[in-house]
Amino acid sequence: MTNGDVLAYISLLAAILVTLWAAILTVGLVFSAKTQHAAQLLERAPGRALGTGAGLGLLGVGLGIVLLNSKNGLGMLIGWVLLAITLSIAMIGSAGLARVMSGRMQHLAPTQSALTTLARGGALLIAAGALPAVGWILFFPLQLFASLGAGFQALTARERLPYEQPAPQPQPHQQ
């Protein structure tokens, strides 16, 4: 392996990480209602999101990789589509996780704008997952499974209108 090969691998990894950060930020801005719902799910029931995401991740990614290794062209196409759908759902949850971090950063630095804290939250998620050893083995899989679970739950949730209590009627004054 030459110096050029090492630089090419490092450049490719850096490009993937920057693109992933930009995708989290874009999804968080474009699909703000769904990512806000995913953030609420992650804050209220993180264990449920993690469990759902682990099941979906192992099923979606596992089946996708198995289909990619098939000799049939249609099977390979279905494998790529399955992986793309799984990772797209995880992107909704990742933007929700970045929103959770953004909300917590907003309390620490109230003068920062929501866009700035969302961008920083996404960057911190990417940086934590890119950390050698601990990030690759612990942080990234936990982030992926939690994001996948929250994204799936946010996309499959029914839209519910908030309950509005009727205004109290004034009672006639009795003497």
Side-chain angles (χ1 to χ4, degrees):
M1 186 176 288
T2 65
N3 228 2
D5 292 338
V6 172
L7 289 176
Y9 286 128
I10 291 173
S11 298
L12 180 66
L13 181 63
I16 289 171
L17 293 177
V18 169
T19 305
L20 185 58
W21 170 73
I24 287 174
L25 189 58
T26 302
V27 168
L29 294 173
V30 173
F31 303 108
S32 59
K34 290 298 180 184
T35 58
Q36 188 66 37
H37 191 143
Q40 290 172 353
L41 290 168
L42 284 167
E43 283 188 317
R44 277 190 272 148
R48 182 175 178 206
L50 193 62
T52 303
L56 287 172
L58 294 176
L59 179 70
V61 174
L63 187 59
I65 290 173
V66 166
L67 288 172
L68 282 178
N69 290 324
S70 70
K71 301 291 184 204
N72 186 358
L74 182 62
M76 292 174 69
L77 177 65
I78 293 171
W80 279 114
V81 169
L82 188 58
L83 283 173
I85 289 171
T86 303
L87 294 177
S88 296
I89 292 171
M91 190 58 61
I92 297 283
S94 293
L97 190 55
R99 280 194 184 274
V100 169
M101 292 183 66
S102 171
R104 293 183 182 175
M105 282 191 274
Q106 195 79 37
H107 289 295
L108 297 173
T111 59
Q112 297 284 321
S113 71
L115 177 61
T116 302
T117 55
L118 181 63
R120 287 182 179 178
L124 286 174
L125 285 175
I126 300 301
L131 186 68
V134 175
W136 301 336
I137 296 170
L138 182 66
F139 291 150
F140 179 71
L142 286 175
Q143 287 176 13
L144 177 66
F145 292 151
S147 297
L148 186 56
F152 179 76
Q153 290 174 12
L155 289 173
T156 58
R158 294 182 188 160
E159 292 294 323
R160 296 183 184 150
L161 297 175
Y163 175 74
E164 294 182 25
Q165 275 189 319
Q169 299 296 325
Q171 297 293 328
H173 188 35
Q174 295 178 352
Q175 287 181 324

